[in-house]
């Protein structure tokens, strides 16, 4: 693109930008001759895919802003009408991030102008409330405006279809084509009124459904510390706990209320270093049984347990550990159906399912795939996502997951046992499934592409001294999985070690998932098994980083 073309494109974008803030921002860039920054903003368009849209807020087609959202909504409306859904209901939810309410209202206006019916949730609410509302209200689609646990400068746009699941191919490409066909915002009708703003009835219906995940009469005695991580989870989670009869969670006051600046954390993700420090500080003051955290849109649930050997006396459970605990709890409750997980999650779920005689399925990463498993009863992925009520919410739900963790912890407490004790039982029964992750956040996305290329061109022949017996390039797909950008390695030896490498779908990260299985003959062997698992994982991580050029 020549400089004249760049300036002409920027001026054309400026002329139709409906947002004073981004219009002023773009005008300043033009006036100051910031051609390098303009070139970045106008290098293309933010791509709509199976994660919808997600990106940094700002002016221009490569940023999240009202112009981009209006085009996305118009493309979605055109797609729905082409599928015969003229007049159908589209439900729209949003979190408390910068611009979320604006993007939600713009979406409602576009849907109304396109001849669809639109209904906005009454205020910023957890993503699972939106996923529930789609099925509850019989909508043809849903939109959630959220960037989940991304940094404060980001926002996103997540699309669900009428089954309450997030979009998968080919719907993403078909919607993207309709978005690309929008020539000008002037061609998109956006009435000032005509959509509905829902009352609390939908939230009440969701809350009524949450208690149904628990066993009637089960113990409800566990004491918790809870953090909403500056997001929208507090009111809904505390209401759900109150309805279920649990003691009120002790709140991490500094993080309890929505704040789009996320002032107390570097990244508002319970998995990130330091994000749980305030929660652990609160736990040391009030001595609860467990700590529970939601991410900012409350579709994920993190759990921490007392651990005398951990710094500060508390240890975050890995997503795989919580996933296995919930699976064991559901098995004990008599759950039937299919237990599903993503390929990057621990193979322990398969062992639990096999022993219980329930179905088991592996999917690609993301709840958009897990939610579509036939006969799904329970699904989880290691990134703190759990679906314990697929008939109510066909997506990960950090509220119902928290309730079920609290029920399990209460039942164990009645027997003078803990979540850690149950994890030990699972290790003795099925082997210690030790997992870890090598996760690299980058500023330059070419680092990720270079690492993937290096591994494809020079695949490792051994990791941690273990021979790579099988290497799979998942872009070619497998017998059971459609193609995806990823690599999977199986290693020789008794530990059944496995490595999966993939670019994150929502963040500028390269993620490598490691697992080793250490046989355990009895409880007296657990400490040695953990030490061995940690040793092998550390060696694999070291060798993999070298092989990937990281």
């Amino acid at each position: 693109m020549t400089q004249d073309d760049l300036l002409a494109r920027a001026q054309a974008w400026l002329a139709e930008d409906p947002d004073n803030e981004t219009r002023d921002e773009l005008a300043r860039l033009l006036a100051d001759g910031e051609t390098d920054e303009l070139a970045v903003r106008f290098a293309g368009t933010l791509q709509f895919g199976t994660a919808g849209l997600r990106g940094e807020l700002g002016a221009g087609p490569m940023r999240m802003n009202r112009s981009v959202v209006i085009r996305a909504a118009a493309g979605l409306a055109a797609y729905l009408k082409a599928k015969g859904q003229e007049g159908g209901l589209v439900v729209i939810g949003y979190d408390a991030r910068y611009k979320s309410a604006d993007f939600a209202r713009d979406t409602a206006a576009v849907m109304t102008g396109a001849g669809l019916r639109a209904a906005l949730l009454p205020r910023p609410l957890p993503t699972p409330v939106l996923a529930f509302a789609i099925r509850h209200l019989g909508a043809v689609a849903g939109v959630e405006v959220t960037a989940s646990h991304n940094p404060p400068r980001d926002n996103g746009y997540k699309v669900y279809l009428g089954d309450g699941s997030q979009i998968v191919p080919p719907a993403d490409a078909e919607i993207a084509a309709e978005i690309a066909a929008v020539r000008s915002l002037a061609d998109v009708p956006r009435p000032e009124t005509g959509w509905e703003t829902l009352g609390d009835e939908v939230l009440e219906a969701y809350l009524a459904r949450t208690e149904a995940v628990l066993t009637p009469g089960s113990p409800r005695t566990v004491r918790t510390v809870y953090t909403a991580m500056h997001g929208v989870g507090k009111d809904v989670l505390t209401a759900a706990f109150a309805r279920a009869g649990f003691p009120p969670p002790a709140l991490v006051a500094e993080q309890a209320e929505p704040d789009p600046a996320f002032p107390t954390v570097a990244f508002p993700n319970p998995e990130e270093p330091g994000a749980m420090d305030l929660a652990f500080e609160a736990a040391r003051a009030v001595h609860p049984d467990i700590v529970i955290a939601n991410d900012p849109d409350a579709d994920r649930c993190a759990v921490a347990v007392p651990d005398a050997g951990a710094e500060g006396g508390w240890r975050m459970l890995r997503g795989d550990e919580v996933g296995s605990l919930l699976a064991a709890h559901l098995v004990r409750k008599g759950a039937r159906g299919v237990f599903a997980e993503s390929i990057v999650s621990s193979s322990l779920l398969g062992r639990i399912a096999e022993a219980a005689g329930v179905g088991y399925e592996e999917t690609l990463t993301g709840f958009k795939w897990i939610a579509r498993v036939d006969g799904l009863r329970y699904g989880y992925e290691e990134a703190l996502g759990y679906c314990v009520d697929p008939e109510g919410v066909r997506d990960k739900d950090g509220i119902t997951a928290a309730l079920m963790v609290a029920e399990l912890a209460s039942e164990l407490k009645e027997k003078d046992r803990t979540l850690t004790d149950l994890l030990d039982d699972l290790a003795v029964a099925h082997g210690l499934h030790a997992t870890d992750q090598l996760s690299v956040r980058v500023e330059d996305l070419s680092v990720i592409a270079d690492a993937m290329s290096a591994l494809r061109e020079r695949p490792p022949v051994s990791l941690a001294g273990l021979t790579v017996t099988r290497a799979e390039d998942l872009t070619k797909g497998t017998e059971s999985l459609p193609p995806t950008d990823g690599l999977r390695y199986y290693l020789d030896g008794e530990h059944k070690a496995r490595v999966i490498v993939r670019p994150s779908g929502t963040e500028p990260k390269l993620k490598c998932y490691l697992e080793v299985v250490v046989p355990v003959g009895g409880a007296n062997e657990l400490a040695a098994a953990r030490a061995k698992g940690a040793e092998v994982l550390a060696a694999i991580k070291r060798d993999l980083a070298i092989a990937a050029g990281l």
Side-chain angles (χ1 to χ4, degrees), residues 271 301 316-328 341-349 352 378 380-386 423 426 433-437 498 513-516:
E271 294 178 294
C301 175
M316 272 275 289
L317 296 182
R318 293 187 176 277
D320 285 319
E321 292 177 305
V322 177
S324 300
L325 287 169
L326 288 173
E341 64 179 341
S342 60
I343 59 172
V344 300
S345 303
S346 171
S347 59
L348 177 55
L349 183 66
I352 293 170
Y378 168 64
Y380 98 91
E381 61 180 1
E382 56 73 43
L384 311 182
Y386 316 96
L423 286 170
L426 292 172
H433 288 63
T435 59
D436 200 359
Q437 192 178 127
R498 183 199 68 187
Y513 307 84
L514 325 176
E515 180 179 52
V516 300

Side-chain angles (χ1 to χ4, degrees), residues 345-370:
S345 303
S346 171
S347 59
L348 177 55
L349 183 66
R351 303 279 185 92
I352 293 170
E354 182 181 12
V358 300
Y360 169 74
E361 191 163 328
E362 247 186 356
T363 74
L364 293 183
T365 308
F367 262 84
K368 57 185 175 282
W369 299 108
I370 294 172

Side-chain angles (χ1 to χ4, degrees), residues 199-222:
D200 281 343
E201 297 82 4
V202 168
L203 179 58
E204 285 295 311
Y206 169 80
L207 286 169
R209 178 93 196 184
T210 61
E211 193 178 350
V213 307
L214 305 177
T215 300
S218 62
R220 314 278 167 95
T221 57
V222 75

Side-chain angles (χ1 to χ4, degrees), residues 1 3-17 23 26-27 29-30 34 38-39 41-42 59-61:
M1 184 170 17
Q3 185 163 317
D4 286 346
D5 290 339
L6 172 63
L7 294 175
R9 193 170 177 212
Q11 291 285 3
W13 187 273
L14 177 64
E16 63 174 18
D17 190 337
R23 197 165 56 242
L26 184 52
L29 291 173
L30 283 163
E34 297 279 357
L38 288 169
R41 304 284 187 101
F42 287 85

